[in-house]
Amino acid sequence: MSIAATQKRGFGAVLWDYLTTVDHKKIGILYLIGGGFFFLIGGLEALFVRIQLLVPENDFISAGFYNEMFTMHGTTMIFLAVMPLLIGLMNYIMPLQIGARDVAFPFLNSLGLWLFIFGGVLLNCSWFLGGAPDSGWTAYAPLSLQSPGHGIDFYVMGLQLSGAGTLIGGINFLVTVVTMRAPGMTYMRMPLFTWATFITSVLILFAFPALTVNLFLLMFDRMFGSAFFDVALGGNTVIWQHLFWLFGHPEVYILILPAFGLFSDVFSTFSKKRLFGYTAMVFATVLIAFLGFMVWAHHMFTVGLGPVANSIFAIATMAIAVPTGIKIFNWLATMWGGSITINSSMLWALGFIPTFTIGGMTGVMLASAVADYQYHDTYFVVAHFHYVMVGGTVFGIMSALHYWWPKMFGRILHEGMGKITFWTFFIGFHLTFFVQHFLGLMGMPRRYWVFLEEQGLDTGNLVSSIGAFLMSIGVIVFLINIFYTIKSKKAPADPWDGRSLEWSIPSPPPHYNFKQEPLVRGLDPLWIEKMEGKGKMTAAEPLDDIHMPNSTIVPFIMSVGFFIAGFGFIYQVDHSAWLSAVYVGMAIALGAMAFRSLKDDHGHHITKEELEREAD
Amino acid sequence: MKGWMGKSKVIFLLGSLALILAGCGKENLSALRPKGYGADSSMNLIILSIIIMTFVFIVVMLVYVVVLSRFRKKKGQEDYIPRQVEGNKTLETIWTVIPIILVIILAVPTVVATFDLANETGSEDGLNIEVTGNQYWWHFNYEGQEIQTSQDMYIPVGEEVHLNMVSSDVIHSFWVPSLSGKMDANPENENNMYIEAHEEGVYWGKCAELCGPSHSLMDFKVIAVSPEEFDQWVDDMQSVDPDEEPEDSVAQDGKAAFEENSCMGCHAIGSSPAQVGPNLTAFGDRSQIAGILEPTKENLVDWIMDPESIKPGNKMTGNYPDLSEEEADSIAEYLMQLQPSEVTPESAGD
């Protein structure tokens, strides 16, 4: 069904379409909407933090509220904003890049989305129900155990739900890449964004179970009287940190690798050159992912693990600089000798290089264990991870949005506004975070509600807060750009002279993506065809009926069930009557599972005749 | 005219010097102004890593600038197709091998320093202090000396002082930036580190691990004095008699009120190891009240009347009967007179 048909329907019909969709493109858009919404909330929370730290000994918000603010800022940005935005992009683009008509498990894809949405909503309900979590996004025990109220319980249940959604999504991507590549699309012909999606999914597969287990331990301690982290009863609080970082360190690579992949595509497209050192780039990605699992204890240099552990983890961490360095130089070499177009998308990619280099440098500095005794838990660390997470991942998302917007929505974002967004955000970002390196070394620990007068921290904090406002202006201009673009002219199928398969089909693509599976003859398949004068992909199969999955509301209902059960788990501590919510919620979820298992759903076919009609 | 010029030069010089120094943060708080063994060790590695990393950054930026100035799409070349280069083994080997070498240059001194700072020999006969982190204050027990203090830790200059750290509640992190890097105080096991101050001074310490609402208010001081002054301080502290009556009548009332309102249930004066609340033996000598307020009687009265407004979430709030302003005033007077030693933060130059 084409976009024109969609526009004729009423709001209710569109809503129902999106609630029941199993189309990876619509799910991708829902991820972008959900992630974007939480990104705005997370940004608002960051602004509260920076307003509080505008001047010394400020009393704009109370100490407890401040702790909730930065806890929710971190949790929201990592779990509910940046990761879903990336998963949204992967969902939309990766199947197109490998020439697939959908993902391997469309039902699971939808389930993953709704689990993320309801997990995020559950977590944010805490604001209105007695207070948000307040122990930092890392929720270290025993502080998270003794935290009063239900804030941490919302953290546990919300993240458990959305984490399950992410895990499901990751498995789905893995199977999709392994099984659904178009004829000729060998592993070593996949675009780097697809490679990054693949490797990231491996990371998700191995990292998220550690989080799941950890959240269960905390859940049992807080809700059911166990004592995994209760020292008085023989528990151990450091276990939380090990399990948390066993998940948490790979998590930062889950966030950065897709951005690396995206930049590889953007640099080569806008330099009109193939990626320099493709094989090295792929292996660097694999190596970074592997090392990402070996270095979790570098978050724990001051925990008292002893010199042997600290040395091993210090060296392993420094080693990551090598494959990352390979990537930076290969990107530069990709542009070298090219014909570089600088537009909004490329600006973000170009801004990424110096910014991320600084973030990587401070990463190596942090790896030096004894130096880290000074940096650890200070604003130096805050500066470092924002250089990596914003300078790498958020820049990547912005570049990707400008790059793929025409593909996804059939419109090109306004260039002028795109450039204003970039420059205000870029300058604001460096104002905000560069000074924080120095603030940290000058004695400002992170998560400080106030800093005292006459400690030399005033100017730096003021500059930092001003920068945060500039960044907000950039985001606002971007929002205006989105609304402005709704009415702009239609985008062609291939507006950037692209190289990979997604540019070979219309913008936005029909819901079956490829009328006929394309035949892939090498890296940058579309580019090859264009260079040989064909301009379009050769079909690898005759035009025939296409099998597509049916829409279903079951994943949505299943997620609602878990959502209700989540409230039950949280409040059964206060009164056992709340256990009924657990039973009801689980009954809904299990009932939905039974329905899904017992009822055959064979999907539907788009007939050859329909396809021929739509082509006209 | 010349004189004026000379003056302006001096002002300019001092001004720029002040700016540069201000850029390094407050003296005795900043890690960029190391004044102790551990802080030196960290600083050396910080400088080494900055040199290496600046080199890397400059190389990247040089290539970046060249690329952007030479290879932008030019007018009239819209149809120009660059050569599609697959890669270059030599180049790629170079930018693999050089980073490995740079990493090794940083890794070796890192490992050496890591083991050096973990060196625990000497704790047998040296000064050992058991440090306990509490929400939101620090307790110091001078092992074998029968001395207990809170918030202010006195140490002798030039000696290795071994700290054995635990926490009584949640995880805290002991950090005195200008003396040494930080070490966590965990509830389940003892962590060890040593500090050594090169010169006398009052060094600012902070808690670096989120520990609750008043995390940012958990300041303390390490006061480094000469070894002679330290010995004297030890003598003075050991000869404190907790039952000694103060001289003036207000303070006597204060002592009575202090006892009547069962303040002693949590606090202690002398070498009693009670640790629910801070030990108040040398309260009158403290450089600050509650770690953050100027040491004036008015501030102490405010603190006693409503601790919650000063340190949210502290464990003193609501644990004693309501006091009248007068009672609080007399208690403050009594506490401010607890000055058992001639050796005070002023001795260290504060």
Side-chain angles (χ1 to χ4, degrees):
Chain A
M1 81 204 52
S2 70
I3 196 92
T6 317
Q7 277 165 349
K8 276 179 214 149
R9 291 177 299 155
F11 175 75
V14 174
L15 184 69
W16 179 253
D17 184 28
Y18 272 87
L19 290 181
T20 59
T21 187
V22 290
D23 178 359
H24 73 95
K25 296 181 292 300
K26 283 182 184 155
I27 288 175
I29 289 172
L30 285 173
Y31 265 113
L32 291 180
I33 293 171
F37 172 71
F38 287 122
F39 185 86
L40 295 180
I41 292 183
L44 207 60
E45 284 154 359
L47 275 184
F48 271 86
V49 167
R50 278 325 312 172
I51 293 172
Q52 168 64 18
L53 296 177
L54 198 62
V55 289
E57 297 180 30
N58 198 358
D59 56 357
F60 172 65
I61 49 178
S62 73
F65 193 52
Y66 179 84
N67 286 2
E68 294 176 5
M69 274 297 160
F70 70 70
T71 298
M72 284 300 280
H73 166 66
T75 312
T76 302
M77 284 303 194
I78 298 268
F79 291 99
L80 306 180
V82 172
M83 199 163 57
L85 285 170
L86 290 170
I87 291 178
L89 290 167
M90 294 172 180
N91 236 318
Y92 201 111
I93 300 299
M94 180 272 285
L96 302 185
Q97 286 195 331
I98 62 172
R101 290 204 172 103
D102 206 334
V103 289
F105 305 119
F107 180 91
L108 282 187
N109 205 15
S110 162
L111 181 61
L113 165 82
W114 292 112
L115 285 175
F116 144 65
I117 299 261
F118 280 103
V121 171
L122 181 62
L123 181 54
N124 277 281
C125 281
S126 62
W127 284 120
F128 312 103
L129 297 169
D134 58 358
S135 305
W137 83 279
T138 54
Y140 277 11
L143 185 65
S144 52
L145 281 187
Q146 66 150 43
S147 170
H150 286 300
I152 300 292
D153 303 325
F154 277 101
Y155 173 93
V156 169
M157 297 313 300
L159 291 192
Q160 197 68 283
L161 270 195
S162 67
T166 307
L167 187 56
I168 289 172
I171 292 169
N172 195 4
F173 289 150
L174 271 181
V175 180
T176 304
V177 171
V178 171
T179 61
M180 298 188 70
R181 281 165 290 129
M185 177 60 85
T186 62
Y187 282 101
M188 294 313 276
R189 287 175 181 176
M190 296 196 306
L192 256 282
F193 183 74
T194 293
W195 259 112
T197 304
F198 186 56
I199 302 297
T200 302
S201 303
V202 176
L203 286 177
I204 289 175
L205 181 63
F206 287 102
F208 268 75
L211 176 72
T212 308
V213 167
N214 219 17
L215 289 174
F216 270 130
L217 298 183
L218 187 59
M219 175 183 173
F220 289 154
D221 268 16
R222 279 187 65 101
M223 301 179 196
F224 301 112
S226 64
F228 295 106
F229 306 122
D230 188 342
V231 176
L233 295 172
N236 185 316
T237 63
V238 177
I239 294 292
W240 169 272
Q241 296 184 40
H242 277 294
L243 281 172
F244 186 85
W245 290 117
L246 200 51
F247 145 77
H249 194 77
E251 170 70 11
V252 303
Y253 292 94
I254 291 170
L255 299 179
I256 195 64
L257 288 181
F260 283 178
L262 166 272
F263 285 128
S264 301
D265 286 9
V266 166
F267 280 130
S268 87
T269 302
F270 292 116
S271 305
K272 284 204 178 194
K273 272 184 68 194
R274 63 170 284 170
L275 189 69
F276 189 91
Y278 173 86
T279 317
M281 290 299 252
V282 170
F283 280 102
T285 310
V286 176
L287 195 58
I288 291 171
F290 175 76
L291 288 173
F293 270 106
M294 304 292 133
V295 297
W296 78 91
H298 72 208
H299 296 267
M300 299 166 66
F301 281 149
T302 69
V303 167
L305 300 178
V308 177
N310 280 5
S311 301
I312 291 171
F313 282 99
I315 293 171
T317 306
M318 289 178 195
I320 297 184
V322 178
T324 314
I326 292 174
K327 280 185 162 287
I328 297 267
F329 283 107
N330 277 347
W331 285 321
L332 291 172
T334 302
M335 288 188 282
W336 189 284
S339 173
I340 303 172
T341 306
I342 299 183
N343 55 17
S344 304
S345 177
M346 188 65 166
L347 262 183
W348 287 101
L350 289 171
F352 153 83
I353 294 235
T355 312
F356 190 80
T357 307
I358 294 174
M361 280 161 49
T362 51
V364 177
M365 291 172 74
L366 280 159
S368 177
V370 169
D372 181 72
Y373 297 164
Q374 293 285 19
Y375 309 131
H376 180 77
D377 264 342
T378 69
Y379 265 72
F380 188 92
V381 175
V382 177
H384 160 73
F385 67 68
H386 281 94
Y387 263 81
V388 177
M389 295 285 88
V390 180
T393 312
V394 174
F395 280 25
I397 290 169
M398 292 303 284
S399 180
L401 287 177
H402 287 86
Y403 181 58
W404 281 316
W405 200 270
K407 184 50 60 188
M408 293 190 286
F409 301 102
R411 317 271 164 176
I412 297 179
L413 286 168
H414 189 265
E415 269 298 309
M417 275 191 268
K419 281 175 181 158
I420 294 173
T421 303
F422 171 76
W423 285 111
T424 43
F425 195 91
F426 184 79
I427 293 167
F429 168 80
H430 283 278
L431 270 185
T432 307
F433 295 107
F434 195 73
V435 289
Q436 291 187 357
H437 295 113
F438 298 95
L439 281 175
L441 285 166
M442 280 153 52
M444 180 147 167
R446 71 196 277 201
R447 296 166 170 171
Y448 261 34
W449 163 53
V450 287
F451 58 95
L452 304 179
E453 274 166 0
E454 290 168 22
Q455 295 200 348
L457 305 171
D458 307 17
T459 319
N461 274 298
L462 180 67
V463 171
S464 188
S465 294
I466 293 171
F469 285 109
L470 262 183
M471 289 167 80
S472 326
I473 294 174
V475 173
I476 291 168
V477 175
F478 182 65
L479 290 178
I480 296 172
N481 196 350
I482 289 176
F483 287 107
Y484 176 85
T485 305
I486 292 176
K487 299 233 176 266
S488 66
K489 72 175 167 62
K490 289 207 145 202
D494 182 17
W496 315 124
D497 197 4
R499 311 172 70 86
S500 38
L501 284 181
E502 74 267 32
W503 305 111
S504 69
I505 51 175
S507 307
H511 82 288
Y512 46 81
N513 295 350
F514 296 89
K515 196 155 49 171
Q516 288 161 289
E517 290 273 279
L519 178 68
V520 175
R521 297 195 293 142
L523 180 66
D524 296 340
L526 181 61
W527 181 260
I528 291 176
E529 304 300 339
K530 283 196 271 196
M531 284 304 104
E532 294 186 0
K534 276 228 224 65
K536 62 184 181 63
M537 300 304 299
T538 311
E541 59 179 10
L543 186 63
D544 203 354
D545 293 1
I546 296 176
H547 176 248
M548 297 300 288
N550 285 332
S551 295
T552 164
I553 191 70
V554 175
F556 183 85
I557 292 175
M558 208 187 285
S559 305
V560 170
F562 285 122
F563 181 69
I564 294 170
F567 277 104
F569 279 118
I570 291 168
Y571 285 107
Q572 53 83 26
V573 180
D574 298 341
H575 198 289
S576 56
W578 277 95
L579 280 172
S580 54
V582 175
Y583 299 137
V584 170
M586 292 309 273
I588 295 173
L590 291 173
M593 284 183 203
F595 177 80
R596 154 79 179 165
S597 306
L598 298 174
K599 186 179 178 297
D600 282 338
D601 182 355
H602 296 297
H604 63 278
H605 281 87
I606 303 168
T607 60
K608 199 170 152 185
E609 291 70 35
E610 273 180 86
L611 290 170
E612 276 164 351
R613 236 190 350 262
E614 278 201 35
D616 306 327
Chain B
M1 191 65 184
K2 197 175 181 228
W4 183 84
M5 279 292 283
K7 217 179 192 175
S8 77
K9 263 184 200 161
V10 171
I11 291 169
F12 176 73
L13 209 71
L14 285 179
S16 37
L17 199 70
L19 267 180
I20 291 166
L21 291 181
C24 297
K26 186 184 161 67
E27 190 162 21
N28 293 352
L29 172 63
S30 171
L32 295 170
R33 298 177 171 194
K35 286 178 181 161
Y37 186 79
D40 283 347
S41 200
S42 297
M43 192 64 189
N44 293 339
L45 281 168
I46 292 172
I47 290 172
L48 175 67
S49 55
I50 286 183
I51 292 172
I52 297 174
M53 293 302 135
T54 308
F55 166 74
V56 173
F57 187 69
I58 288 173
V59 172
V60 170
M61 289 318 288
L62 276 178
V63 181
Y64 182 77
V65 169
V66 171
V67 162
L68 280 187
S69 54
R70 275 185 60 191
F71 301 110
R72 304 257 315 247
K73 184 192 278 178
K74 294 174 192 70
K75 280 215 170 77
Q77 288 197 337
E78 273 75 25
D79 297 330
Y80 167 68
I81 305 290
R83 201 159 63 86
Q84 305 291 307
V85 185
E86 194 166 333
N88 183 317
K89 285 240 165 57
T90 322
L91 275 177
E92 290 180 71
T93 311
I94 289 172
W95 59 59
T96 308
V97 171
I98 291 178
I100 291 176
I101 294 170
L102 293 178
V103 162
I104 291 171
I105 293 174
L106 182 60
V108 172
T110 295
V111 173
V112 171
T114 306
F115 279 88
D116 175 43
L117 284 189
N119 176 12
E120 284 170 47
T121 55
S123 59
E124 295 280 308
D125 46 328
L127 179 57
N128 285 282
I129 303 177
E130 187 189 277
V131 176
T132 310
N134 303 278
Q135 287 168 316
Y136 303 95
W137 57 281
W138 294 90
H139 181 84
F140 308 110
N141 170 20
Y142 289 67
E143 287 171 24
Q145 309 260 29
E146 306 231 318
I147 298 175
Q148 315 270 342
T149 68
S150 300
Q151 299 296 52
D152 284 9
M153 179 168 92
Y154 287 78
I155 59 165
V157 155
E159 277 180 36
E160 271 184 20
V161 180
H162 288 261
L163 307 178
N164 306 311
M165 254 170 251
V166 288
S167 161
S168 71
D169 36 51
V170 300
I171 298 169
H172 301 278
S173 193
F174 180 95
W175 188 33
V176 188
S178 41
L179 290 186
S180 183
K182 57 189 78 63
M183 175 63 90
D184 289 2
N186 297 324
E188 63 257 85
N189 63 317
E190 190 179 277
N191 275 342
N192 307 296
M193 74 183 286
Y194 65 89
I195 55 173
E196 186 195 321
H198 298 323
E199 51 188 83
E200 293 187 18
V202 177
Y203 299 99
W204 290 62
K206 290 183 172 292
C207 175
E209 182 64 59
L210 177 66
C211 57
S214 287
H215 167 53
S216 59
L217 303 172
M218 198 171 151
D219 284 15
F220 62 100
K221 308 287 174 301
V222 172
I223 297 153
V225 293
S226 68
E228 300 76 41
E229 285 174 312
F230 182 75
D231 289 341
Q232 196 206 329
W233 179 80
V234 169
D235 281 346
D236 293 341
M237 290 296 285
Q238 283 171 339
S239 54
V240 166
D241 173 13
D243 295 325
E244 192 183 276
E245 281 293 319
E247 276 164 22
D248 69 281
S249 62
V250 180
Q252 282 168 6
D253 291 348
K255 184 169 191 292
F258 190 76
E259 279 155 10
E260 270 163 34
N261 290 292
S262 57
C263 302
M264 281 298 207
C266 300
H267 295 286
I269 292 169
S271 60
S272 154
Q275 266 185 36
V276 180
N279 183 298
L280 304 174
T281 309
F283 193 87
D285 288 336
R286 287 227 199 129
S287 51
Q288 271 169 323
I289 291 168
I292 46 169
L293 301 173
E294 285 297 308
T296 64
K297 199 171 124 185
E298 295 73 49
N299 279 340
L300 182 53
V301 171
D302 289 346
W303 168 247
I304 294 170
M305 293 302 287
D306 187 8
E308 193 64 17
S309 68
I310 293 164
K311 276 192 177 179
N314 78 88
K315 289 175 184 165
M316 182 154 134
T317 303
N319 275 323
Y320 51 92
D322 277 337
L323 295 171
S324 67
E325 193 81 30
E326 199 182 340
E327 281 175 305
D329 187 72
S330 61
I331 291 174
E333 182 62 35
Y334 165 60
L335 293 177
M336 295 302 280
Q337 285 185 19
L338 294 174
Q339 296 174 322
S341 180
E342 298 278 299
V343 181
T344 63
E346 283 86 43
S347 317
D350 186 45

